[in-house]
Amino acid sequence: MREQVKRNYLEITSIDDLKGVNKPTIDYSLYLLDPVDFQLNKFFYKNIGKKHKWIDRLAWSEEKWIDYVSSKNVNTYVLKQKDDLVGFFELILHQENNEIEIAYFGILEEYQNKKLGSYLLSEAIKESLYKKSIERVWLHTCSLDHKNALNNYLARGMKIFKTEIINI
């Protein structure tokens, strides 16, 4: 059975346009995953994505996961509350266009609806725009994503630059 999905592409081009959100409490920490750990990326992808039909990477081999997270153009950031995993985002540098794509972004279900997504997105945008020569940060979201996803992106200062209907 085919399903129509609305996909929106959003961008932000200046740190001045960011409507940031402060860290919720000192119990939270955000860090660049170094060294890389494909199992952690895979864990977040599967657990956050299961409700939103993230399926393209489910067939990836271990080798493909390792190659992906080991790319010099991919960075993964992890949000924790004390020692508990909360959420993540992946940034992909597209050097040829001086831009960064927020490839995957999400909060585990037990931490959703606590404004943590707003904070995490603010940090993803900051991490991206503070990099030398980055002119644009972009992502896409769709009608299958969390009900607050699009509103969060717009509230942080991102603008829609393309919309399309796809069939899955």
Side-chain angles (χ1 to χ4, degrees):
M1 185 170 142
R2 300 192 64 71
E3 180 178 359
Q4 276 200 335
V5 174
K6 183 177 183 180
R7 183 185 290 159
N8 289 298
Y9 293 80
L10 297 98
E11 67 184 355
I12 189 166
T13 58
S14 171
I15 198 72
D16 296 334
D17 295 333
L18 174 63
K19 295 169 184 77
V21 173
N22 293 327
K23 187 192 311 194
T25 68
I26 60 169
D27 291 345
Y28 289 91
S29 59
L30 179 69
Y31 64 93
L32 173 64
L33 193 58
D34 186 21
V36 297
D37 179 357
F38 83 93
Q39 294 285 15
L40 204 47
N41 288 69
K42 188 175 179 180
F43 166 81
F44 280 122
Y45 181 86
K46 288 174 77 174
N47 284 280
I48 294 168
K50 67 185 169 199
K51 282 195 156 190
H52 308 293
K53 297 187 181 176
W54 293 1
I55 58 171
D56 55 321
R57 294 184 184 178
L58 293 178
W60 280 15
S61 67
E62 195 170 286
E63 183 179 338
K64 187 161 183 170
W65 273 102
I66 291 168
D67 288 347
Y68 172 74
V69 301
S70 299
S71 167
K72 66 178 178 57
N73 294 327
V74 175
N75 286 316
T76 301
Y77 290 79
V78 174
L79 179 63
K80 285 185 164 186
Q81 181 184 33
K82 296 185 179 172
D83 292 329
D84 296 333
L85 296 171
V86 173
F88 85 125
F89 58 85
E90 295 175 356
L91 301 179
I92 301 177
L93 171 63
H94 298 283
Q95 221 161 5
E96 66 282 0
N97 297 327
N98 295 329
E99 62 187 27
I100 290 181
E101 174 187 359
I102 302 173
Y104 280 92
F105 169 92
I107 301 288
L108 293 169
E109 189 171 10
E110 58 268 32
Y111 291 95
Q112 290 178 0
N113 303 313
K114 297 179 180 184
K115 307 272 186 224
L116 297 171
S118 300
Y119 166 70
L120 192 60
L121 179 60
S122 294
E123 295 304 302
I125 292 169
K126 283 182 206 172
E127 286 293 330
S128 300
L129 287 174
Y130 286 150
K131 294 187 186 311
K132 186 178 172 189
S133 76
I134 294 303
E135 297 174 7
R136 176 173 93 129
V137 178
W138 67 276
L139 55 77
H140 63 77
T141 189
C142 74
S143 52
L144 297 173
D145 287 339
H146 189 278
K147 63 183 176 154
N148 296 330
L150 180 59
N151 287 336
N152 184 23
Y153 302 136
L154 293 169
R156 302 289 69 75
M158 299 188 89
K159 305 273 189 263
I160 296 172
F161 69 89
K162 178 181 171 184
T163 300
E164 63 188 1
I165 302 295
I166 57 172
N167 292 303
I168 61 164

